[in-house]
Every structure is written in structure tokens, then in C-alpha cells.
Amino acid sequence: MERLYPRSMETLPIILEAVAAFCAGHGAAGDSTFVISFAVEEIFTNMVKYNPLGPDNVSLTLMSKGNDLVVTLEDEQDHMFDPTTSPDPEFEKSLSERRPGGLGLFLIKKMVRKVEYRREGRRNTITLTHPLE
Amino acid sequence: MFTVTFVEPTVIRLAGRLDASSADQAAAEFQKIAGSATLDFKELEYISSAGLGVLFAAQKRLKSAGHALKLVNLNSHLRDVFKFARFDLVFDIE
């Protein structure tokens, strides 16, 4: 099911409700719903923050495939947004030196079973695959 | 929906969802914490990286003044997130 959502932080609660409803409707475990909600929020927030002049809407597709939940977010922008190659946070630094940047994408890579990125023309496509249970 | 309740000046209960929509509210509430305190996560269902950033900033501010936040009653999802984020090295988690 593909839907377009306005590029705005005000849309976030609506998106997270849609994700929760889809997960519940497909019998997803609480862990899976948490992980997918976390990942969708992080990626959508990045698209809103770092591509403010992009098209009015961001595309979100929710599907189930076998025992997996497959979530795709698509956006058009001038630059790549590849969460699979984002640098890890500065864990080696002390608390006073450490900044929280990069933590969300790092956590997606740790928690979601498969994260894929594709760029075609100006279109960035991020696909998340995670077990329903 | 996200709420912060100061049960006592040093015991603070978080409830609901601490995500990008509620991060500014959480940051404003955490600014009221002036010394070491316990954050009770029993009723916190969800946290995103925006929420983690707010908690991290509060701990950094308090530790620079010789204080610290202790986190209690984390559900299993939150415990995993904190472990992956290596926040178990930043916070005392019970």
C-alpha cells in the first residue's frame, strides 16, 4: 500500500499511526512494530529536515511478504541519502566530547534485519525488511 | 502523547511516546532538573533518536555539574535501544 505524506514534521504522528495499524493488522510482534516505527521515524525525519525544498510529499509503502514486513520510503533530492553507509557515532569519545549525531541511522542498521538503498536519477529509495515476529 | 511528572524533585515519571514530535517538550521539562535524579520509564512506550538526543543532552549538562540521571523500569524494547546506543555506558540503568 503506497501513500504520499506531506513533507512536514506535523505528519509524523499520522505516519506512525499508519505503521502501527499496518503492523497490528498483520500480526506483527511488539518488537517488530517498535523497530519499524523507529526506522520510519528516523528516515522520514531526515527527509523532512535535510530536503526541505524537495517535492511536497514523501512516499511510504507498507507491505507484507511471507513472514516479513517490507517498508519503502522514497524521495527526490539532489544528493544521496544512503543510510547503509552513514558513519557510526563517536562512541570512542568521552561524554563531554561526544555528540549524539548519527545515532538514529546507526540504530536502524543495528535493529532492522535488512536495509537497502537505491538511487535512480534524483530518486532515493530506502527499503527496510524486518520479520513480522 | 507524552507526559513528564515530577513525582518528587528527584523522581520524574515519563509516560507515552518520546519521539521527534515531543522532543522539544521533553527538553524544556528536563531543563527543570537541577541535580541528580531518577527517571522512571515504566509508562514510557517508545523512544526515537530525537528522544535519545534529549536525554543525552540532559545527562551531559548534569554530569558537567557533578550530577547524573539514573534510569529505571525500562521495557525490553527500550533496554535494547539503550544497549545498542551504548547509553548503558552513559547512564546508570536499573
Side-chain angles (χ1 to χ4, degrees):
Chain A
M1 177 186 65
E2 181 186 9
R3 278 195 60 183
L4 298 176
Y5 291 93
R7 182 186 307 278
S8 161
M9 289 305 290
E10 289 174 11
T11 312
L12 185 60
I14 298 164
I15 289 180
L16 292 178
E17 266 183 38
V19 170
F22 186 85
C23 288
H26 288 78
D31 277 350
S32 301
T33 304
F34 183 93
V35 168
I36 289 298
S37 299
F38 187 99
V40 169
E41 172 173 341
E42 186 63 30
I43 292 167
F44 179 77
T45 301
N46 267 270
M47 288 172 167
V48 172
K49 271 190 186 172
Y50 301 116
N51 189 24
L53 302 178
D56 290 344
N57 298 308
V58 170
S59 160
L60 171 69
T61 304
L62 300 166
M63 291 191 304
S64 64
K65 193 172 175 183
N67 292 321
D68 289 337
L69 185 61
V70 181
V71 179
T72 304
L73 290 111
E74 294 180 85
D75 193 22
E76 287 189 9
Q77 58 188 110
D78 292 335
H79 52 277
M80 292 175 65
F81 168 35
D82 182 358
T84 66
T85 57
S86 61
D88 289 351
E90 305 164 312
F91 289 127
E92 73 287 354
K93 292 190 174 175
S94 67
L95 177 63
S96 59
E97 297 173 309
R98 201 174 138 183
R99 291 173 292 114
L103 190 56
L105 297 179
F106 170 79
L107 289 170
I108 290 174
K109 288 186 281 183
K110 292 293 280 186
M111 296 194 293
V112 177
R113 196 186 64 190
K114 188 159 78 174
V115 181
E116 296 167 287
Y117 171 73
R118 193 173 73 243
R119 183 164 174 86
E120 290 170 317
R122 297 182 68 246
R123 195 161 191 81
N124 289 323
T125 303
I126 296 157
T127 304
L128 311 165
T129 305
H130 196 73
L132 280 163
E133 294 175 6
Chain B
M1 179 72 175
F2 171 72
T3 60
V4 178
T5 307
F6 283 74
V7 182
E8 297 171 24
T10 60
V11 180
I12 298 134
R13 187 189 303 142
L14 310 184
R17 300 174 64 87
L18 178 42
D19 57 22
S21 308
S22 53
D24 287 348
Q25 177 198 349
E29 294 285 355
F30 292 167
Q31 276 296 328
K32 297 175 189 168
I33 305 172
S36 292
T38 298
L39 296 185
D40 188 344
F41 278 49
K42 189 175 180 184
E43 295 174 29
L44 191 74
E45 300 160 15
Y46 175 82
I47 193 164
S48 71
S49 72
L52 292 173
V54 170
L55 276 173
F56 183 86
Q59 182 74 325
K60 200 167 172 176
R61 173 178 66 80
L62 288 165
K63 279 207 166 175
S64 70
H67 307 296
L69 294 173
K70 180 164 84 173
L71 314 181
V72 300
N73 296 324
L74 280 71
N75 67 34
S76 62
H77 313 309
L78 299 183
R79 212 168 270 280
D80 284 347
V81 169
F82 276 69
K83 187 183 73 183
F84 289 137
R86 302 194 199 168
F87 271 26
D88 50 343
L89 305 176
V90 175
F91 292 92
D92 178 8
I93 300 176
E94 247 180 48

